Coordinates of all heavy atoms in Angstrom, one line a residue:
Chain B
I220 N -12.9 6.7 1.2 CA -13.2 6.3 -0.3 C -13.6 4.9 -0.3 O -14.7 4.5 -1.0 CB -12.0 6.5 -1.2 CG1 -11.5 7.9 -1.3 CG2 -12.3 5.9 -2.6 CD1 -10.1 8.1 -1.9
K226 N -18.2 -3.0 -2.0 CA -18.2 -2.7 -3.5 C -16.7 -2.7 -4.1 O -16.0 -2.0 -3.5 CB -18.8 -1.3 -3.7 CG -19.6 -1.2 -5.0 CD -20.5 0.1 -5.0 CE -19.8 1.3 -5.4 NZ -20.6 2.5 -5.5
Q227 N -16.6 -3.5 -5.0 CA -15.2 -3.7 -5.6 C -14.5 -2.4 -6.0 O -13.5 -2.1 -5.7 CB -15.2 -4.7 -6.7 CG -13.9 -5.0 -7.3 CD -12.9 -5.8 -6.5 OE1 -13.4 -6.7 -5.6 NE2 -11.7 -5.5 -6.4
S228 N -15.4 -1.6 -6.8 CA -14.8 -0.3 -7.3 C -14.5 0.7 -6.2 O -13.5 1.3 -6.4 CB -15.9 0.4 -8.3 OG -17.1 0.5 -7.5
A229 N -15.2 0.6 -5.1 CA -14.9 1.5 -4.1 C -13.6 1.1 -3.3 O -12.8 1.9 -3.2 CB -16.1 1.5 -3.0
S230 N -13.4 -0.2 -3.0 CA -12.2 -0.5 -2.4 C -10.9 -0.3 -3.4 O -9.8 0.0 -3.0 CB -12.2 -2.0 -1.9 OG -12.2 -2.8 -2.9
D231 N -11.1 -0.6 -4.6 CA -10.0 -0.2 -5.6 C -9.7 1.2 -5.6 O -8.5 1.5 -5.7 CB -10.5 -0.6 -7.1 CG -10.5 -2.2 -7.2 OD1 -10.0 -2.9 -6.4 OD2 -11.0 -2.8 -8.2
A232 N -10.8 1.9 -5.7 CA -10.5 3.5 -5.7 C -9.7 3.9 -4.5 O -8.8 4.7 -4.5 CB -11.8 4.1 -5.8
G233 N -10.0 3.3 -3.4 CA -9.3 3.6 -2.1 C -7.9 3.2 -2.3 O -7.0 4.1 -1.9
K235 N -6.1 2.9 -5.0 CA -5.6 3.7 -6.0 C -5.1 5.1 -5.4 O -4.0 5.6 -5.6 CB -6.5 4.0 -7.1 CG -5.9 4.7 -8.2 CD -7.0 4.7 -9.6 CE -6.4 5.4 -10.7 NZ -7.5 5.4 -11.8
A236 N -6.0 5.6 -4.5 CA -5.7 7.0 -3.8 C -4.6 6.8 -3.1 O -3.6 7.6 -3.0 CB -7.0 7.4 -3.2
Y305 N -2.8 13.0 -10.8 CA -4.3 13.3 -10.3 C -5.2 12.2 -10.5 O -6.3 12.2 -10.2 CB -4.7 14.5 -11.4 CG -4.9 13.9 -12.7 CD1 -6.2 13.6 -13.2 CD2 -3.9 13.8 -13.6 CE1 -6.4 13.0 -14.4 CE2 -4.1 13.2 -14.8 CZ -5.4 12.9 -15.3 OH -5.7 12.4 -16.5
V306 N -4.8 11.1 -11.1 CA -5.7 10.0 -11.5 C -6.6 9.5 -10.4 O -7.7 8.9 -10.6 CB -5.1 8.9 -12.3 CG1 -4.6 9.3 -13.6 CG2 -3.9 8.4 -11.5
W307 N -6.2 9.8 -9.1 CA -6.8 9.0 -8.1 C -8.1 9.9 -7.6 O -9.1 9.2 -7.2 CB -6.0 8.8 -6.8 CG -5.6 10.0 -6.2 CD1 -4.4 10.8 -6.6 CD2 -6.3 10.9 -5.1 NE1 -4.3 12.0 -5.8 CE2 -5.5 12.0 -4.9 CE3 -7.4 10.6 -4.5 CZ2 -5.8 12.9 -4.0 CZ3 -7.8 11.6 -3.6 CH2 -7.0 12.7 -3.4
L308 N -8.2 11.2 -7.9 CA -9.2 12.0 -7.4 C -10.5 11.6 -8.1 O -11.6 11.5 -7.4 CB -8.8 13.5 -7.6 CG -9.8 14.5 -6.9 CD1 -10.0 14.0 -5.4 CD2 -9.4 15.8 -7.0
P309 N -10.6 11.5 -9.4 CA -11.9 11.3 -10.1 C -12.5 9.9 -9.4 O -13.7 9.7 -9.1 CB -11.7 11.2 -11.4 CG -10.5 12.0 -11.7 CD -9.6 11.9 -10.5
D310 N -11.5 8.9 -9.3 CA -12.1 7.6 -8.8 C -12.5 7.7 -7.2 O -13.2 6.9 -6.8 CB -10.9 6.6 -8.8 CG -10.8 6.2 -10.4 OD1 -11.4 6.8 -11.2 OD2 -10.1 5.2 -10.5
A311 N -12.0 8.8 -6.6 CA -12.4 8.9 -5.2 C -13.7 9.2 -5.0 O -14.3 9.2 -3.8 CB -11.4 10.0 -4.6
M312 N -14.5 9.5 -6.1 CA -15.9 9.8 -5.9 C -16.7 8.7 -5.5 O -18.0 8.7 -5.4 CB -16.4 10.4 -7.3 CG -15.7 11.7 -7.7 SD -15.9 12.9 -6.4 CE -14.3 13.5 -6.1
E313 N -16.1 7.4 -5.5 CA -16.8 6.3 -4.9 C -17.2 6.5 -3.5 O -18.0 5.8 -3.0 CB -15.9 5.1 -5.1 CG -15.5 4.7 -6.5 CD -16.8 3.9 -7.2 OE1 -17.7 3.6 -6.5 OE2 -16.8 3.8 -8.4
G314 N -16.5 7.3 -2.9 CA -16.8 7.6 -1.3 C -18.3 8.3 -1.2 O -18.7 8.8 -2.3
P315 N -18.7 8.2 -0.1 CA -19.9 9.2 0.2 C -19.8 10.5 -0.3 O -18.6 11.1 -0.1 CB -20.1 9.0 1.7 CG -19.4 7.8 2.2 CD -18.3 7.7 1.2
T316 N -20.9 11.2 -0.7 CA -20.7 12.5 -1.2 C -20.2 13.6 -0.3 O -19.4 14.4 -0.7 CB -22.1 12.9 -1.9 OG1 -22.4 11.9 -2.8 CG2 -21.9 14.2 -2.7
S319 N -16.5 13.5 -0.4 CA -16.0 14.2 -1.7 C -16.0 15.6 -1.5 O -15.0 16.3 -1.8 CB -16.9 13.8 -2.7 OG -17.1 12.4 -3.1
A320 N -17.0 16.2 -0.7 CA -17.0 17.6 -0.5 C -16.0 18.1 0.3 O -15.3 19.0 0.2 CB -18.5 17.9 0.1
H323 N -12.1 15.6 -0.7 CA -11.6 15.6 -2.0 C -12.1 16.8 -2.7 O -12.1 16.9 -4.0 CB -12.2 14.4 -2.7 CG -11.7 13.1 -1.9 ND1 -12.6 12.3 -1.4 CD2 -10.4 12.7 -1.5 CE1 -11.9 11.4 -0.8 NE2 -10.6 11.6 -0.8
A324 N -12.5 17.9 -2.0 CA -12.7 19.1 -2.8 C -12.3 20.3 -1.8 O -11.5 21.2 -2.2 CB -14.2 19.3 -3.1
F362 N -6.5 20.9 -18.9 CA -6.6 19.5 -19.2 C -7.8 18.8 -18.6 O -8.6 18.2 -19.2 CB -5.3 18.7 -18.8 CG -5.2 17.2 -19.1 CD1 -5.0 16.8 -20.3 CD2 -5.4 16.4 -18.0 CE1 -4.8 15.5 -20.5 CE2 -5.4 15.1 -18.2 CZ -5.1 14.6 -19.5
S363 N -7.8 19.0 -17.3 CA -8.9 18.4 -16.5 C -10.3 19.1 -16.9 O -11.4 18.5 -16.8 CB -8.6 18.2 -15.1 OG -8.3 19.5 -14.7
A364 N -10.2 20.4 -17.2 CA -11.4 21.0 -17.5 C -12.1 20.4 -18.7 O -13.3 20.2 -18.9 CB -11.2 22.5 -17.7
T365 N -11.2 20.1 -19.7 CA -11.7 19.5 -20.9 C -12.4 18.2 -20.7 O -13.4 17.8 -21.4 CB -10.7 19.5 -22.1 OG1 -9.6 18.7 -21.4 CG2 -10.2 20.8 -22.5
I366 N -11.7 17.5 -19.8 CA -12.4 16.1 -19.5 C -13.7 16.2 -18.9 O -14.6 15.6 -19.1 CB -11.5 15.3 -18.5 CG1 -10.1 15.0 -19.1 CG2 -12.1 14.0 -18.2 CD1 -9.2 14.3 -18.3
G367 N -13.9 17.3 -18.0 CA -15.1 17.7 -17.4 C -16.2 17.8 -18.3 O -17.4 17.6 -18.0
I368 N -16.0 18.2 -19.5 CA -17.0 18.6 -20.5 C -17.8 17.3 -20.8 O -19.1 17.5 -21.1 CB -16.3 19.1 -21.8 CG1 -15.6 20.5 -21.6 CG2 -17.5 19.2 -23.0 CD1 -14.9 21.0 -22.8
C369 N -17.2 16.2 -20.9 CA -17.9 15.0 -21.4 C -18.3 14.1 -20.3 O -18.9 13.1 -20.9 CB -17.0 14.3 -22.4 SG -16.8 15.2 -24.0
Q370 N -18.1 14.3 -19.2 CA -18.5 13.4 -18.1 C -20.0 13.4 -17.9 O -20.5 14.5 -18.0 CB -17.8 13.7 -16.8 CG -16.3 13.5 -16.9 CD -15.8 12.1 -17.3 OE1 -16.2 11.1 -16.6 NE2 -15.1 11.9 -18.4
T371 N -20.6 12.3 -17.7 CA -22.0 12.3 -17.4 C -22.3 11.9 -16.0 O -23.5 12.2 -15.6 CB -22.6 11.0 -18.3 OG1 -22.0 9.9 -18.0 CG2 -22.5 11.4 -19.8
D372 N -21.4 11.5 -15.2 CA -21.6 11.4 -13.8 C -21.4 12.8 -13.0 O -20.4 13.4 -13.1 CB -20.6 10.3 -13.2 CG -20.8 10.0 -11.7 OD1 -21.0 10.9 -10.9 OD2 -20.7 8.8 -11.4
I373 N -22.5 13.1 -12.4 CA -22.6 14.5 -11.8 C -21.4 14.7 -10.9 O -20.7 15.8 -10.9 CB -23.9 14.7 -11.0 CG1 -23.9 16.2 -10.6 CG2 -24.0 13.9 -9.8 CD1 -25.3 16.7 -10.1
K374 N -20.9 13.7 -10.2 CA -19.8 13.8 -9.1 C -18.4 13.9 -9.9 O -17.6 14.5 -9.5 CB -19.8 12.7 -8.1 CG -20.8 13.0 -7.1 CD -20.9 11.9 -6.0 CE -19.6 11.9 -5.3 NZ -19.6 10.8 -4.2
R375 N -18.4 13.1 -11.0 CA -17.1 13.1 -11.8 C -17.0 14.5 -12.4 O -15.7 14.9 -12.5 CB -17.1 12.0 -12.8 CG -16.9 10.7 -12.1 CD -16.5 9.6 -13.1 NE -16.3 8.5 -12.3 CZ -15.1 7.9 -12.1 NH1 -13.9 8.5 -12.7 NH2 -14.8 6.8 -11.3
V376 N -18.0 15.1 -12.9 CA -17.8 16.4 -13.4 C -17.1 17.4 -12.4 O -16.1 18.1 -12.6 CB -19.0 17.1 -13.9 CG1 -19.0 18.5 -14.3 CG2 -19.7 16.2 -15.0
L377 N -17.8 17.3 -11.2 CA -17.2 18.1 -10.1 C -15.8 17.7 -9.8 O -14.9 18.6 -9.3 CB -18.2 18.0 -8.9 CG -19.5 18.5 -9.1 CD1 -20.3 18.4 -7.9 CD2 -19.4 20.1 -9.3
A378 N -15.5 16.4 -9.8 CA -14.1 15.9 -9.5 C -13.1 16.6 -10.4 O -12.0 17.0 -10.0 CB -14.1 14.4 -9.4
Y379 N -13.4 16.5 -11.7 CA -12.5 17.1 -12.7 C -12.4 18.6 -12.6 O -11.3 19.1 -12.8 CB -12.8 16.6 -14.1 CG -12.3 15.2 -14.5 CD1 -13.3 14.2 -14.5 CD2 -11.1 15.0 -14.5 CE1 -12.8 12.9 -14.8 CE2 -10.6 13.7 -14.9 CZ -11.5 12.7 -14.9 OH -11.1 11.4 -15.1
S380 N -13.5 19.2 -12.1 CA -13.6 20.5 -11.9 C -12.6 20.9 -10.7 O -11.9 21.9 -10.8 CB -14.9 21.0 -11.5 OG -15.0 22.3 -11.0
T381 N -12.6 20.0 -9.7 CA -11.8 20.2 -8.6 C -10.3 20.1 -8.9 O -9.5 21.0 -8.5 CB -12.0 19.2 -7.5 OG1 -13.4 19.2 -7.2 CG2 -11.3 19.4 -6.3
V382 N -10.0 19.2 -9.7 CA -8.6 19.0 -10.3 C -8.2 20.3 -11.0 O -7.1 20.8 -10.8 CB -8.3 17.8 -11.2 CG1 -7.0 17.7 -11.7 CG2 -8.8 16.5 -10.4
S383 N -9.1 20.8 -11.7 CA -8.8 22.0 -12.5 C -8.7 23.2 -11.7 O -7.7 23.9 -11.9 CB -10.1 22.3 -13.5 OG -10.0 23.4 -14.2
Q384 N -9.5 23.3 -10.6 CA -9.4 24.6 -9.8 C -8.1 24.4 -8.9 O -7.5 25.6 -8.7 CB -10.5 24.6 -8.9 CG -11.9 24.8 -9.6 CD -11.9 26.2 -10.4 OE1 -11.6 27.2 -9.9 NE2 -12.3 26.0 -11.7
K411 N -17.0 24.8 -4.0 CA -16.9 23.4 -4.4 C -17.5 22.5 -3.4 O -18.3 21.5 -3.7 CB -15.5 23.1 -4.7 CG -15.3 21.7 -5.3 CD -16.0 21.5 -6.6 CE -15.7 22.3 -7.8 NZ -14.3 22.2 -8.3
L414 N -21.1 22.8 -4.2 CA -21.4 22.0 -5.3 C -21.5 20.6 -5.0 O -22.4 19.9 -5.4 CB -20.6 22.2 -6.4 CG -20.6 23.5 -7.1 CD1 -19.3 23.9 -8.0 CD2 -21.8 23.8 -7.9
F415 N -20.5 20.0 -4.3 CA -20.6 18.6 -4.0 C -21.8 18.3 -3.1 O -22.5 17.3 -3.3 CB -19.3 18.1 -3.2 CG -18.3 17.7 -4.2 CD1 -17.1 18.2 -4.5 CD2 -18.5 16.5 -5.0 CE1 -16.2 17.9 -5.4 CE2 -17.7 15.9 -5.8 CZ -16.6 16.6 -6.1
S418 N -24.8 18.4 -5.0 CA -25.0 17.1 -5.9 C -25.4 16.1 -5.0 O -26.2 15.2 -5.4 CB -23.7 16.8 -6.7 OG -22.8 16.3 -5.8
G419 N -24.9 16.0 -3.8 CA -25.3 15.0 -2.9 C -26.8 15.1 -2.5 O -27.5 14.1 -2.6
I422 N -28.4 13.6 -5.5 CA -28.4 12.2 -5.5 C -29.3 11.5 -4.4 O -30.0 10.5 -4.7 CB -26.9 11.8 -5.3 CG1 -26.0 12.3 -6.4 CG2 -26.9 10.2 -5.1 CD1 -24.6 12.2 -6.1
E428 N -29.3 8.0 -7.8 CA -28.9 8.3 -9.3 C -27.8 9.3 -9.4 O -28.0 10.4 -8.8 CB -30.1 8.6 -10.0 CG -30.0 8.8 -11.4 CD -29.4 7.4 -12.0 OE1 -30.2 6.5 -12.0 OE2 -28.3 7.5 -12.6
Q429 N -26.8 8.9 -10.1 CA -25.7 9.9 -10.3 C -25.6 10.4 -11.8 O -24.7 11.3 -12.1 CB -24.4 9.3 -9.8 CG -24.4 9.1 -8.3 CD -23.0 8.8 -7.8 OE1 -22.0 9.0 -8.5 NE2 -22.9 8.4 -6.5
D430 N -26.2 9.7 -12.7 CA -26.1 10.0 -14.1 C -26.9 11.2 -14.6 O -28.2 11.1 -14.4 CB -26.4 8.7 -14.9 CG -26.0 8.8 -16.3 OD1 -25.8 9.9 -16.8 OD2 -25.8 7.8 -17.0
M431 N -26.2 12.2 -15.0 CA -27.0 13.4 -15.4 C -28.0 13.1 -16.5 O -28.9 13.9 -16.8 CB -26.1 14.5 -15.8 CG -25.2 15.0 -14.6 SD -24.4 16.5 -14.8 CE -23.2 16.0 -16.2
R432 N -27.7 12.1 -17.3 CA -28.7 11.8 -18.4 C -30.0 11.3 -18.0 O -30.9 11.4 -18.6 CB -28.0 10.8 -19.3 CG -26.9 11.3 -20.2 CD -26.0 10.1 -20.9 NE -25.5 9.2 -19.9 CZ -24.6 8.3 -20.3 NH1 -24.3 8.2 -21.5 NH2 -24.2 7.4 -19.4
M434 N -31.5 12.7 -15.3 CA -32.1 13.8 -14.4 C -32.8 14.8 -15.2 O -33.4 14.3 -16.2 CB -30.9 14.5 -13.7 CG -30.1 13.6 -12.8 SD -28.8 14.5 -12.0 CE -28.0 13.1 -11.1
M448 N -27.0 25.7 -5.4 CA -26.1 25.2 -6.4 C -25.9 26.1 -7.5 O -24.8 26.3 -8.1 CB -26.6 23.8 -6.9 CG -25.7 22.7 -6.4 SD -26.2 21.1 -7.3 CE -24.7 20.8 -8.2
I455 N -18.3 29.9 -9.2 CA -17.1 29.1 -9.9 C -16.8 29.5 -11.3 O -15.8 29.5 -11.9 CB -17.2 27.5 -9.8 CG1 -15.9 26.9 -10.1 CG2 -18.3 27.0 -10.8 CD1 -16.0 25.3 -10.1
Y498 N -18.8 23.7 -18.6 CA -19.3 22.5 -18.1 C -20.1 22.6 -16.8 O -20.9 21.8 -16.5 CB -18.1 21.5 -17.9 CG -17.0 21.7 -16.9 CD1 -17.4 21.8 -15.6 CD2 -15.8 22.1 -17.3 CE1 -16.4 22.1 -14.6 CE2 -14.8 22.4 -16.3 CZ -15.0 22.4 -14.9 OH -14.2 22.6 -14.0
M499 N -19.8 23.7 -16.1 CA -20.7 23.9 -14.9 C -22.1 24.2 -15.3 O -23.0 23.7 -14.7 CB -20.1 25.1 -14.0 CG -19.0 24.6 -13.2 SD -19.1 23.0 -12.4 CE -20.4 23.3 -11.3
R501 N -23.4 23.3 -18.1 CA -23.9 22.2 -18.7 C -24.5 21.3 -17.6 O -25.7 20.8 -17.7 CB -22.8 21.5 -19.4 CG -23.1 20.0 -19.8 CD -21.9 19.4 -20.5 NE -22.2 17.9 -20.7 CZ -21.7 16.9 -20.1 NH1 -21.1 17.3 -18.9 NH2 -21.9 15.7 -20.4
L502 N -23.9 21.2 -16.5 CA -24.2 20.4 -15.3 C -25.5 20.9 -14.8 O -26.5 20.2 -14.6 CB -23.2 20.3 -14.2 CG -23.4 19.6 -12.9 CD1 -22.0 19.1 -12.5 CD2 -24.1 20.4 -11.8
T506 N -29.1 19.0 -15.1 CA -29.7 18.5 -13.8 C -31.1 19.1 -13.5 O -32.0 18.4 -13.2 CB -28.7 18.8 -12.8 OG1 -27.5 18.3 -13.1 CG2 -29.3 18.0 -11.4
V639 N -11.9 12.2 -25.4 CA -12.2 13.0 -24.2 C -13.0 12.3 -23.2 O -12.8 12.3 -22.0 CB -12.8 14.4 -24.6 CG1 -13.2 15.2 -23.5 CG2 -11.9 15.1 -25.7
Y640 N -14.1 11.5 -23.8 CA -15.0 10.9 -22.9 C -14.2 9.8 -22.1 O -14.5 9.6 -20.9 CB -16.0 10.2 -23.8 CG -17.1 9.5 -22.9 CD1 -18.0 10.1 -22.2 CD2 -17.0 8.0 -22.7 CE1 -19.0 9.5 -21.5 CE2 -18.0 7.4 -22.0 CZ -18.9 8.1 -21.4 OH -19.9 7.4 -20.6
N641 N -13.2 9.2 -22.7 CA -12.3 8.2 -22.0 C -11.2 8.8 -21.3 O -10.2 8.1 -20.9 CB -12.0 7.1 -22.9 CG -13.1 6.3 -23.2 OD1 -13.7 5.5 -22.3 ND2 -13.5 6.2 -24.4
K642 N -11.4 10.1 -21.0 CA -10.3 10.9 -20.2 C -9.0 10.8 -20.7 O -7.9 10.6 -20.1 CB -10.3 10.4 -18.7 CG -11.7 10.4 -18.0 CD -11.8 9.4 -16.8 CE -12.2 8.0 -17.4 NZ -12.3 7.1 -16.4
Y643 N -8.9 11.0 -22.1 CA -7.6 10.8 -22.8 C -6.9 9.5 -22.6 O -5.6 9.5 -22.9 CB -6.7 12.0 -22.4 CG -7.3 13.4 -22.7 CD1 -7.8 14.1 -21.8 CD2 -7.2 13.8 -24.0 CE1 -8.3 15.4 -22.1 CE2 -7.8 15.1 -24.3 CZ -8.3 15.8 -23.3 OH -8.9 17.0 -23.7
I645 N -5.8 8.2 -20.1 CA -4.6 8.4 -19.3 C -4.4 7.2 -18.4 O -3.4 6.6 -18.2 CB -4.7 9.6 -18.4 CG1 -4.6 10.8 -19.3 CG2 -3.6 9.6 -17.3 CD1 -3.1 10.9 -20.0
D646 N -5.6 6.6 -17.8 CA -5.5 5.5 -16.9 C -5.0 4.3 -17.7 O -4.2 3.6 -17.1 CB -7.0 5.1 -16.3 CG -7.4 6.1 -15.2 OD1 -6.4 6.3 -14.5 OD2 -8.5 6.5 -15.1
E647 N -5.5 4.2 -18.9 CA -5.1 3.0 -19.6 C -3.6 3.2 -19.9 O -2.8 2.2 -19.9 CB -5.9 2.9 -21.0 CG -7.2 2.5 -20.7 CD -8.2 3.5 -20.3 OE1 -7.8 4.7 -20.1 OE2 -9.4 3.1 -20.0

Side-chain angles (χ1 to χ4, degrees):
Chain B
I220 294 168
K226 215 165 85 180
Q227 180 69 37
S228 59
S230 72
D231 284 350
K235 187 173 177 181
Y305 74 96
V306 285
W307 65 271
L308 186 57
D310 287 11
M312 299 301 126
E313 292 285 346
T316 308
S319 308
H323 305 120
F362 177 79
S363 51
T365 55
I366 300 178
I368 295 173
C369 289
Q370 296 298 307
T371 53
D372 183 317
I373 186 166
K374 282 179 72 183
R375 284 195 175 252
V376 175
L377 294 174
Y379 281 106
S380 166
T381 305
V382 177
S383 171
Q384 297 299 311
K411 188 51 67 65
L414 285 168
F415 265 113
S418 76
I422 294 165
E428 182 59 62
Q429 300 194 7
D430 192 337
M431 290 194 296
R432 289 170 299 193
M434 296 180 185
M448 252 185 113
I455 194 178
Y498 68 67
M499 282 315 301
R501 169 178 175 265
L502 183 148
T506 309
V639 178
Y640 182 76
N641 287 296
K642 304 158 277 186
Y643 297 102
I645 292 292
D646 277 323
E647 287 76 5

